[in-house]
Amino acid sequence: MQHFLDCTYNFSRGILYQKDEEIIEINLTSIDFIRKLVSNIKVRKISSWLKKYFIPHEENGYKPHFLRRKPVSIFLLGIVIIELVFLAQVFIVFDKTSFLASVLPGVLTSLANENRAENDAPPLMENILLTKAAELKATDMASKGYFAHTSPEGKTPWYWLGQVGYNYSMAGENLAVNFFESNDVAQAWMNSPTHRANIVKKDYTEIGIGVANGTYQGRSTVFVAQFFGTPIKFIYKPTPTTKPISTPPPVVVVAPTPSITPRISPVTTQVLGEAVNSLYVVNNNSIFSNLKTSAQKILTSPREYVTYVYLAVLLIIIMALCLSIFTKIKMHHPKIIARGLALVAIVLALLYVNIKVLHFETNVGVSDITANAISAVAK
């Protein structure tokens, strides 16, 4: 016979008793009993903790611990640390290091594929040549301080594709500058009909993204170039061997005429043949890779996730305030309520600053080129 808290368990008979010997459950195994006991203890501890920290009652002096001076000070310190880390991420890590350039392309590719999945389009594969072309374009814009599909020297997007030797049947380009975080870029592109058309176009199979730090309109910023493409396809067929008419001399076989690889014009839209060789970045769908992608999304969209944290904090504070104000108790403590209201005011002020004051209008460009043989060129 074993005794636990206010109940008794008979292992031989599998019967659980209370102190008054009333049978409350029969045919329990010892493991079931232990599980239920542990679960009961956890529920009691949690309910006791919630009552202590959030509900005013006689045992806590009608002063919920959550809104007392020390917990409020710790909570406020945590909010300040979160805000400082957020500002450091945006104005130091993003602006003064190459972190964003190294992480953002992968994040934007992931976001593009998520948008394509929502529109029943197949995922895009990262192509090394397209990525290189996008890096060249982004670097050119950053170094010369312009933002357009056509450079001051008249170089169109297709010039950069030619520089890296990417032969395509169709291609498109999206640009972005003056953004605050990765989600700003993705959302701005999806809000623009022509940029959206590039992202969700089912005919595209490959993608490449380049990022560069530079100055635009007197302000330090990050330039993004995004290329989409469908590689041109060939079948190289040697000229068939001609079989001569049989004659007494030995049979002479005419050697096949070598195939000549045609020079591809970037304005061709005809798909030739069936086979194609492309340079892909292999996407690993392992759990580690998915966790890495999720972490990168958080790191490149700090404002969005800090906003989520602040909203959760605000909800907890409001809940504590409501319990302190509207619970029927003998007395209310003005200081407790004042601390809660002060925390609400601080969180609301930080939300306003982060969302409104630190908001940049993402520029996704206006097209000044025409290319009737290029599919869905971004405007």
Side-chain angles (χ1 to χ4, degrees), residues 285-348:
N285 291 322
S286 65
I287 296 177
F288 175 78
S289 178
N290 292 334
L291 289 175
K292 180 181 178 182
T293 301
S294 299
Q296 289 176 343
K297 287 181 180 179
I298 294 174
L299 291 173
T300 56
S301 296
R303 182 179 59 191
E304 178 184 4
Y305 292 96
V306 166
T307 298
Y308 292 154
V309 172
Y310 285 169
L311 289 176
V313 168
L314 193 62
L315 184 62
I316 294 172
I317 298 171
I318 291 174
M319 180 187 71
L321 269 175
C322 289
L323 289 172
S324 296
I325 296 172
F326 299 110
T327 300
K328 293 182 179 180
I329 56 177
K330 297 180 180 179
M331 63 183 72
H332 290 92
H333 293 275
K335 289 184 178 180
I336 292 290
I337 297 173
R339 291 190 193 110
L341 292 174
L343 275 179
V344 169
I346 291 171
V347 174
L348 288 175

Side-chain angles (χ1 to χ4, degrees), residues 59 251 277 363:
E59 292 181 8
V251 177
N277 292 322
N363 191 342

Side-chain angles (χ1 to χ4, degrees), residues 1-287:
M1 189 78 70
Q2 297 291 329
H3 297 272
F4 298 94
L5 298 180
D6 58 349
C7 59
T8 304
Y9 183 74
N10 189 318
F11 285 93
S12 61
R13 298 179 57 191
I15 300 175
L16 181 66
Y17 298 95
Q18 288 182 335
K19 284 183 178 180
D20 58 2
E21 298 299 319
E22 177 186 355
I23 299 176
I24 61 174
E25 191 165 349
I26 303 176
N27 294 327
L28 283 173
T29 66
S30 58
I31 295 178
D32 290 335
F33 172 73
I34 293 172
R35 286 176 177 171
K36 288 181 179 292
L37 185 63
V38 170
S39 176
N40 187 44
I41 292 173
K42 287 182 178 179
V43 170
R44 289 183 179 182
K45 285 185 176 180
I46 293 172
S47 61
S48 176
W49 183 87
L50 290 173
K51 185 178 180 181
K52 175 181 178 181
Y53 277 85
F54 291 95
I55 300 175
H57 60 286
E58 187 176 359
E59 292 181 8
N60 60 19
Y62 303 100
K63 296 179 181 180
H65 284 237
F66 180 77
L67 294 177
R68 292 188 179 187
R69 180 179 299 175
K70 186 175 180 180
V72 166
S73 300
I74 294 174
F75 217 67
L76 185 59
L77 179 62
I79 292 173
V80 171
I81 291 174
I82 291 173
E83 185 69 13
L84 290 176
V85 170
F86 162 68
L87 295 175
Q89 177 80 353
V90 172
F91 293 106
I92 298 177
V93 177
F94 283 3
D95 197 36
K96 306 299 182 182
T97 71
S98 60
F99 170 80
L100 197 61
S102 63
V103 174
L104 187 61
V107 174
L108 291 179
T109 298
S110 177
L111 292 172
N113 279 330
E114 289 176 10
N115 289 324
R116 287 174 68 84
E118 293 172 0
N119 290 271
D120 298 322
L124 299 168
M125 294 287 291
E126 292 181 60
N127 181 283
I128 295 175
L129 295 180
L130 275 180
T131 298
K132 182 61 178 176
E135 290 172 351
L136 291 174
K137 175 61 180 286
T139 301
D140 191 65
M141 289 191 297
S143 62
K144 298 174 182 176
Y146 74 94
F147 181 68
H149 289 292
T150 302
S151 73
E153 297 83 10
K155 297 174 182 176
T156 67
W158 332 124
Y159 167 82
W160 306 107
L161 298 180
Q163 287 293 102
V164 299
Y166 184 80
N167 296 322
Y168 57 92
S169 61
M170 59 182 64
E173 180 188 61
N174 285 347
L175 302 176
V177 74
N178 284 349
F179 59 92
F180 197 80
E181 53 188 17
S182 59
N183 280 339
D184 289 345
V185 180
Q187 193 59 49
W189 280 338
M190 290 301 290
N191 289 340
S192 166
T194 50
H195 292 80
R196 184 182 185 278
N198 265 347
I199 293 173
V200 302
K201 186 174 180 63
K202 295 181 180 180
D203 293 330
Y204 289 141
T205 60
E206 299 176 347
I207 188 173
I209 298 175
V211 178
N213 293 316
T215 302
Y216 181 63
Q217 295 180 341
R219 185 168 71 84
S220 179
T221 188
V222 177
F223 294 81
V224 180
Q226 182 183 52
F227 274 122
F228 302 90
T230 302
I232 202 157
K233 305 175 182 182
F234 300 96
I235 282 182
Y236 295 101
K237 295 183 178 179
T239 303
T241 58
T242 58
K243 189 174 183 180
I245 301 174
S246 297
T247 57
V251 177
V252 178
V253 181
V254 179
T257 303
S259 297
I260 300 175
T261 303
R263 182 176 181 181
I264 306 305
S265 170
V267 294
T268 180
T269 58
Q270 183 181 3
V271 177
L272 307 175
E274 300 294 338
V276 62
N277 292 322
S278 293
L279 301 173
Y280 295 111
V281 176
V282 178
N283 292 320
N284 186 355
N285 291 322
S286 65
I287 296 177

